[in-house]
């Protein structure tokens, strides 16, 4: 493990990365799996001018989560939501500041359907993710 750690440090120094950006398996440790890597999940994201919008479709329990990470710019007021089979559903209006992450989750049962994640600004402008589906659908 010490040798792998040393190699990770040397490799990260050679490419200008900090050790924190080296994947856990390269440093010889086991990190917990993020939600996007759990079995049965499917994630689609899109980059926006001031952040990133993602949808996570999970099958344990069956749920849809929309996540907006605001990386820059002024605060906004927006609703997170999703659209499935032509119907849009939104959560409450919330203020999202720079460096904040807003998340909304809906738990439900459905057959194999696709969905898009939505970010609806207070002024009515809507942004969406690419369509996501469950693996195996």
């Amino acid at each position: 493990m010490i040798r792998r750690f040393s190699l990770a440090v040397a490799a990260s120094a050679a490419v200008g990365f900090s050790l924190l950006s080296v994947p856990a398996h390269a440093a010889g440790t086991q990190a917990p799996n993020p939600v996007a890597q759990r079995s049965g999940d499917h994630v689609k994201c899109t980059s926006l001018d001031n952040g990133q919008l993602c949808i996570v479709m999970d099958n344990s329990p069956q749920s849809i989560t929309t996540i907006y990470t605001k990386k820059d710019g002024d605060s906004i007021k927006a609703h997170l939501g999703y659209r499935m089979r032509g119907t849009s559903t939104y959560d409450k209006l919330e203020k999202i500041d720079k460096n904040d992450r807003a998340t909304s989750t809906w738990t439900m049962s459905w057959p194999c359907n696709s969905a898009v994640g939505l970010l609806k600004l207070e002024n009515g402008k809507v942004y969406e993710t690419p369509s996501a589906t469950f693996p195996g659908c």
Side-chain angles (χ1 to χ4, degrees), residues 82-90 115-116 118:
Y82 69 94
R83 184 174 58 246
M84 182 186 294
R85 292 177 279 164
T87 301
S88 297
T89 301
Y90 290 99
V116 296
L118 303 171

Side-chain angles (χ1 to χ4, degrees), residues 57-78:
M57 297 184 74
D58 193 351
N59 65 6
S60 183
Q62 287 184 326
S63 62
I64 295 176
T65 300
T66 302
I67 304 165
Y68 177 62
T69 305
K70 183 146 181 65
K71 297 177 182 177
D72 202 9
D74 295 333
S75 297
I76 61 169
K77 288 188 178 179

Side-chain angles (χ1 to χ4, degrees), residues 53 66 68 76-82 89-96 102-104 106 117-127:
L53 179 63
T66 302
Y68 177 62
I76 61 169
K77 288 188 178 179
H79 302 268
L80 293 176
Y82 69 94
T89 301
Y90 290 99
D91 205 350
K92 67 188 179 310
L93 183 69
E94 63 182 297
K95 181 181 177 190
I96 308 169
T103 304
S104 293
W106 297 266
L118 303 171
L119 175 71
K120 183 178 179 182
L121 300 180
E122 189 175 35
N123 67 10
K125 185 166 182 157
V126 178
Y127 298 91

